[in-house]
Amino acid sequence: MARRRDIAVRDRPFRVRVESVEDLETVSAMLQDAIVPVAETAWRPREGRFAMMAQRFRWEDGAARPWRRVHCAFLVERVRAARASGLDPADRGRMLELLSIGHGDGRLDLAFAGGATLRLSIGALSCSADDIGEPWPVPARPEHPEPESADARP
């Protein structure tokens, strides 16, 4: 019986309205390793919104196979300005890999592999993440190299 309950929880869509830094940390962890096509990002200055559609790896599935990804919409409200570093927003064919979403001093920083960053100046922390559609199987789980120990000798 517990197994059925575990499966039911795993198969629920991820939906979070960010109301605190702790909520943002959860969203950042759930979106870690998401694939984000630059073409699926949009900054709407008149509306004060930034949106992106990510292909989120479903970390909540644990070691269960098949590994899966799902589309996840990430929306940030009350955005005053957006600045890209290490990427050209006009390069609509580029794919980014999200590492983390950080918060501090009236900003959100979306850090991507390879040193690319999107910095959003915000009036207040107001964002959400919502899975959309059905997950699909993927052949591999994202891997992270182990950090080198300070005791490691060359």
Side-chain angles (χ1 to χ4, degrees):
M1 190 67 148
R3 178 141 169 72
R4 285 187 190 160
R5 212 176 10 221
D6 291 346
I7 291 170
V9 169
R10 272 196 343 238
D11 286 338
R12 286 193 351 226
F14 176 66
R15 288 194 166 91
V16 173
R17 176 80 185 139
V18 175
E19 297 176 351
S20 68
V21 173
E22 291 79 21
D23 292 342
L24 184 64
E25 289 169 356
T26 298
V27 169
S28 179
M30 296 297 277
L31 285 172
Q32 182 180 13
D33 298 307
I35 297 167
V36 180
V38 172
E40 295 293 328
T41 63
W43 155 231
R44 303 280 189 234
R46 288 185 189 165
E47 299 167 19
R49 290 189 178 130
F50 172 83
M52 72 178 188
M53 182 65 72
Q55 299 168 23
R56 183 177 77 77
F57 185 82
R58 288 184 45 97
W59 289 109
E60 65 272 28
D61 290 349
R65 289 187 187 190
W67 294 304
R68 302 180 299 168
R69 286 191 179 269
V70 64
H71 286 110
C72 185
F74 180 66
L75 177 65
V76 182
E77 303 279 353
R78 300 180 186 154
V79 179
R80 296 176 177 163
R83 195 177 93 223
S85 174
L87 70 104
D88 178 1
D91 184 2
R92 306 301 281 168
R94 183 171 176 188
M95 303 296 269
L96 303 169
E97 182 180 351
L98 185 65
L99 299 177
S100 66
I101 303 169
H103 174 264
D105 295 330
R107 70 176 195 276
L108 283 181
D109 290 324
L110 286 73
F112 298 93
T117 304
L118 289 174
R119 174 164 285 175
L120 307 175
S121 298
I122 57 174
L125 185 58
S126 179
C127 49
S128 61
D130 294 285
D131 284 352
I132 297 173
E134 295 296 318
W136 66 90
V138 294
R141 178 183 169 139
E143 294 291 328
H144 298 274
E146 292 295 321
E148 290 189 29
S149 167
D151 296 331
R153 305 263 187 248

